[in-house]
């Protein structure tokens, strides 16, 4: 459980977030919030990001060569909770995003600066009210002009310090659940100017997340955890390690693909039959209509001839 002490540096949750969680303040309706997004209509809905299992299925459907699964136990329920997305987390419409923050929480370079610029002045003031954050810990604020409702600020270690980096991921996930947030976009932590090597950092991120999801009832408390990458090398590293920590049953997915293709073909055939039958009915009706018209015309011609004959006789 997180502390709610008002002492300096011990407040993990900003006052506004506390008020929101206590239902003393309400966020504007979604449509109203969208009008204030810094990115306008260029936001990305989290539900449009495929889960890891769906992504792998898509790769198999394209008949791409995939890395061999690791010895980790295949758990389908895990693969439906995680995703990898390459893009700008400040445009992600999601429950929360992670900010790889400085200890002061007052903004900086990289993703930290981008989030501060996008979120606006009120966001900065709320960050200041938290009086900084220790390395390996996480604090939370509202998202303001961001499409994300909340921002989880975590301070990564400088240099290769695996325990502190692991602590970052654990505290941000714990705090997310503590605040009843069900979705999160997690950026890379400490892999920029802080100098933590990329591959070991990704390894820690995925292993810690997997272990955390399997603890207690965390799986039931989370809808989707999105690992957000920005650079191509990040995306490649995450994808490679995902097969290790979130292995998929390739054979089962191939069977599902076959089944889906069969069902699609069946639906298309059925649809074609319906169209054919409908077209046949239309043709029959048109033929009948044409036949009736011809008969009517012939009848009229016959009647005219009869009238003409009678007139001539007279």
């Amino acid at each position: 459980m997180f502390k709610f002490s008002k002492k300096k540096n011990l407040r993990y949750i900003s006052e506004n977030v506390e008020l929101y969680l206590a239902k003393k303040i309400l966020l504007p309706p979604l449509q109203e919030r969208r009008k204030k997004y810094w990115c306008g209509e260029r936001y990305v809905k989290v539900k449009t990001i495929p889960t890891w299992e769906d992504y792998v299925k898509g790769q198999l459907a394209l008949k791409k060569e995939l890395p061999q699964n690791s010895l980790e136990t295949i758990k389908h329920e895990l693969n439906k909770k995680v995703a990898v997305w390459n893009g700008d987390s400040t445009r992600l419409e999601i429950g929360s995003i992670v900010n790889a923050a400085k200890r002061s929480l007052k903004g900086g370079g990289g993703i930290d600066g981008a989030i501060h610029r996008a979120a606006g002045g009120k966001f900065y003031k709320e960050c200041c009210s938290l009086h900084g954050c220790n390395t390996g810990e996480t604090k939370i604020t509202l998202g303001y002009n961001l499409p994300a409702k909340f921002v989880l600020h975590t301070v990564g270690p400088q240099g290769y310090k695996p325990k502190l980096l692991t602590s970052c991921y654990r505290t941000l996930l714990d705090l997310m659940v503590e605040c009843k947030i069900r979705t999160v976009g997690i950026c890379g932590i400490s892999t920029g100017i802080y100098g933590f090597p990329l591959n070991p950092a990704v390894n820690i991120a995925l292993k810690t997340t997997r272990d955390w999801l399997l603890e207690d009832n965390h799986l039931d408390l989370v809808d989707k955890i999105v690992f957000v990458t920005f650079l191509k090398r990040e995306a490649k590293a995450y994808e490679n390690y995902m097969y290790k920590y979130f292995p998929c049953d390739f054979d089962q997915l191939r069977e599902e693909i076959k089944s889906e293709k069969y069902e699609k073909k069946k639906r298309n055939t059925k649809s074609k039959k319906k169209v054919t039958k409908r077209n046949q009915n239309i043709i029959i009706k048109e033929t009948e209509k044409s036949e009736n018209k011809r008969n009517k015309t012939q009848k009229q011609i016959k009647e005219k001839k009869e009238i003409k004959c009678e007139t001539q006789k007279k």
Side-chain angles (χ1 to χ4, degrees):
M1 297 290 286
F2 282 84
K3 301 171 185 177
F4 290 84
S5 169
K6 291 186 179 180
K7 290 181 181 179
K8 189 174 180 179
N9 217 30
L10 289 182
R11 179 186 284 277
Y12 289 87
I13 300 175
S14 73
E15 190 174 348
N16 283 341
V17 175
E18 280 190 50
L19 290 171
Y20 171 78
L21 294 174
K23 297 183 179 178
K24 291 182 180 178
I25 61 169
L26 296 173
L27 293 181
L30 183 59
Q31 293 304 323
E32 288 298 314
R33 285 187 61 240
R34 282 177 174 168
K35 291 177 183 177
K36 295 182 179 179
Y37 287 174
W38 79 273
C39 56
E41 295 182 358
R42 294 181 296 112
Y43 57 87
V44 178
K45 296 178 182 179
V46 66
K47 65 181 180 182
T48 64
I49 298 172
T51 63
W52 174 241
E53 187 165 275
D54 288 337
Y55 171 79
V56 173
K57 191 190 286 187
Q59 296 297 294
L60 289 170
L62 295 171
K63 297 183 179 179
K64 290 193 175 182
E65 287 292 326
L66 301 180
Q68 289 296 315
N69 279 324
S70 70
L71 298 176
E72 292 281 359
T73 307
I74 294 172
K75 291 187 177 292
H76 299 290
E77 62 273 21
L78 282 180
N79 298 333
K80 291 175 181 177
K81 297 287 184 178
V82 293
V84 178
W85 179 69
N86 186 247
D88 181 358
S89 61
T90 65
R91 292 174 51 221
L92 195 54
E93 189 176 74
I94 194 169
S96 62
I97 59 170
V98 170
N99 177 24
K102 290 171 67 177
R103 291 189 65 173
S104 66
L105 299 185
K106 293 182 180 180
I111 186 65
D112 191 12
I115 288 174
H116 271 267
R117 286 191 296 274
K122 290 181 180 179
F123 177 81
Y124 175 78
K125 287 180 182 178
E126 192 166 319
C127 288
C128 291
S129 72
L130 289 171
H131 304 293
C133 182
N134 295 325
T135 303
E137 294 182 357
T138 303
K139 296 191 176 185
I140 188 171
T141 63
L142 294 177
Y144 291 96
N145 297 340
L146 292 165
K149 281 186 179 180
F150 301 95
V151 177
L152 294 155
H153 307 263
T154 191
V155 181
Q158 295 186 27
Y160 184 73
K161 296 172 184 174
K163 286 185 179 179
L164 283 173
L165 187 60
T166 300
S167 176
C168 287
Y169 287 101
R170 281 204 161 270
T171 55
L172 74 86
L173 290 168
D174 284 340
L175 186 54
M176 176 189 76
V177 167
E178 188 76 20
C179 295
K180 298 178 182 177
I181 302 167
R182 300 190 65 89
T183 53
V184 61
I186 305 177
C187 63
I189 301 167
S190 288
T191 54
I193 59 170
Y194 278 15
F196 203 109
L198 178 61
N199 286 337
V202 173
N203 192 67
I204 288 170
L206 299 183
K207 185 181 186 306
T208 306
T209 303
R210 178 187 170 89
D211 292 344
W212 182 86
L213 281 169
L214 292 172
E215 292 170 6
D216 303 324
N217 62 336
H218 289 154
L219 267 175
D220 298 328
L221 301 175
V222 172
D223 288 335
K224 191 180 279 186
I225 295 173
V226 182
F227 296 102
V228 182
T229 63
F230 191 69
L231 302 173
K232 285 185 179 179
R233 64 188 184 91
E234 283 182 308
K236 190 175 180 181
Y238 269 93
E239 185 168 336
N240 288 339
Y241 278 101
M242 284 292 283
Y243 288 104
K244 178 180 178 181
Y245 290 107
F246 298 94
C248 297
D249 188 337
F250 292 163
D251 292 333
Q252 183 181 328
L253 291 179
R254 285 191 183 99
E255 286 300 317
E256 287 180 14
I257 291 165
K258 283 181 184 177
S259 177
E260 286 170 7
K261 282 183 178 177
Y262 173 75
E263 288 298 324
K264 189 176 179 181
K265 191 176 179 182
K266 195 175 175 182
R267 284 196 301 271
N268 288 341
T269 305
K270 202 172 180 181
S271 179
K272 281 179 183 177
K273 282 181 179 178
K274 281 184 180 179
V275 170
T276 305
K277 195 172 181 181
R278 189 165 64 246
N279 289 342
Q280 284 175 346
N281 290 335
I282 290 169
I283 290 167
I284 290 167
K285 284 181 181 179
E286 288 294 327
T287 305
E288 287 177 353
K289 194 176 178 182
S290 179
E291 190 70 32
N292 290 336
K293 192 175 181 181
R294 189 165 59 252
N295 290 338
K296 191 177 180 181
T297 305
Q298 286 176 350
K299 190 177 179 182
Q300 287 174 346
I301 291 169
K302 191 176 179 182
E303 286 176 353
K304 281 182 180 179
K305 280 183 179 180
E306 287 176 356
I307 292 168
K308 192 175 180 181
C309 286
E310 286 178 8
T311 307
Q312 286 176 353
K313 283 179 183 180
K314 287 179 181 180

